[in-house]
Amino acid sequence: MKAIITDLDRTLLRTDKSVSEKTVQVFNKLQENGVKVMFATARPRRAITQYEELLHPDSVATLNGARTFINNSSIDYSIPYESAKKMLKDFLQIPGCIISMETSRGIYANVDIPEWAPIVTDCFPEIPDDCGSVFKILVSNEKVDLNEHINSLITEDSYFSVAVGTLFQIMSKTATKLNGVKAMLEAFEIGPEDAVYFGDDNDDIESLKWCGIGVTVKNAIPQASSVAKDFTASNDEDGVALWIEKSGLLK
């Protein structure tokens, strides 16, 4: 295997968002052996800085593949402004929707979300003048089941995935983790048969199926585990590092 690609939350990271010393040592040995290390995450790049500094990935696909960073450039797949405005307008018609929007200039939201530290705005459904490209719209609602509305609210050029069962992530149809994974492997001239992918959730399924070996952690959702070729311990048990140790890649 020439590349290790891993999701972060609930896969590589422990539940408290930490990375164990064991994982750091394993990833250092991987790179010493010439194996490329790549991240594929739903997070924006600003939210993975500490993990890049700790594990030194060769490339990263962020925002579910909406922005993939390779060397000193990025491949971007954004939501057209008119589509974003229409979806924002329609979601605002549903009482209780918490809406945020990831852009090239940061995250905007209609309420404060302390964990994300967004720019709070009341301009929705208008797009802030200085936001740049729109990469992702995130919606949750504690009072209304959005599953009953989501398909009628997204535009034809967009799709959605659900994280942790309640957070709806809407992106351009061209923005997928799989497209990010394909771009990263192509940049290093590595075929999918020579790549291992680790994941746990809905947005990992395509990559788990496409890469030579797809591995899910013990805490993965059943839909992801059903397509995996192999399995490992949970994220809190350093499942990714344990699988790599047993694989022989560190010899």
Side-chain angles (χ1 to χ4, degrees):
M1 288 296 159
K2 299 177 182 178
I4 293 290
I5 310 157
T6 182
D7 173 46
L8 294 180
D9 293 285
R10 300 183 72 250
T11 300
L12 185 71
L13 308 184
R14 291 182 169 182
T15 301
D16 64 3
K17 309 303 181 185
S18 67
V19 177
S20 70
E21 182 58 34
K22 177 186 184 69
T23 295
V24 174
Q25 292 174 355
V26 165
F27 273 66
N28 284 341
K29 289 180 181 178
L30 273 178
Q31 291 174 310
E32 288 174 5
N33 288 0
V35 178
K36 298 298 182 184
V37 170
M38 305 169 186
F39 294 164
T41 178
R43 294 190 185 206
R45 195 173 196 185
R46 66 177 183 280
I48 65 170
T49 302
Q50 62 179 311
Y51 306 117
E52 289 195 74
E53 293 174 348
L54 194 61
L55 299 174
H56 311 292
D58 296 282
S59 57
V60 295
T62 68
L63 295 170
N64 296 91
R67 298 200 86 181
T68 298
F69 295 89
I70 302 170
N71 298 321
N72 296 317
S73 62
S74 68
I75 301 170
D76 296 348
Y77 299 108
S78 60
I79 302 172
Y81 273 17
E82 290 305 313
S83 295
K85 288 171 66 174
K86 183 182 186 305
M87 289 188 283
L88 290 171
K89 180 180 178 180
D90 291 345
F91 278 113
L92 286 170
Q93 303 304 310
I94 302 174
C97 277
I98 298 173
I99 305 171
S100 58
M101 185 173 71
E102 282 284 359
T103 77
S104 52
R105 305 281 175 79
I107 184 168
Y108 296 77
N110 64 340
V111 299
D112 189 24
I113 307 171
E115 182 181 359
W116 296 349
I119 300 168
V120 180
T121 180
D122 60 2
C123 75
F124 293 161
E126 295 301 317
I127 307 295
D129 291 336
D130 61 347
C131 78
S133 298
V134 176
F135 293 114
K136 183 190 289 191
I137 296 172
L138 302 104
V139 188
S140 62
N141 195 313
E142 295 181 354
K143 300 178 181 179
V144 177
D145 184 0
L146 292 178
N147 285 291
E148 299 178 0
H149 304 275
I150 188 71
N151 287 312
S152 64
L153 295 177
I154 61 172
T155 53
E156 290 185 358
D157 53 6
S158 304
Y159 80 102
F160 75 93
S161 68
V162 185
V164 202
T166 58
L167 182 64
F168 290 79
Q169 307 176 99
I170 303 160
M171 295 144 289
S172 163
K173 281 186 175 178
T174 55
T176 65
K177 277 192 178 181
L178 179 58
N179 278 347
V181 168
K182 287 180 176 179
M184 292 190 293
L185 291 178
E186 183 178 339
F188 291 100
E189 299 182 343
I190 298 172
E193 68 279 2
D194 292 324
V196 184
Y197 187 93
F198 294 91
D200 75 289
D201 213 336
N202 286 301
D203 54 15
D204 298 308
I205 290 174
E206 288 184 325
S207 300
L208 286 166
K209 292 166 63 176
W210 188 73
C211 288
I213 302 176
V215 184
T216 50
V217 285
K218 186 177 180 180
N219 51 289
I221 64 171
Q223 296 92 324
S225 294
S226 69
V227 303
K229 297 181 180 70
D230 206 352
F231 310 92
T232 187
S234 74
N235 63 319
D236 286 323
E237 299 168 306
D238 298 333
V240 173
L242 287 174
W243 190 94
I244 292 170
E245 281 187 325
K246 294 177 182 178
S247 72
L249 287 171
L250 303 183
K251 293 181 181 179

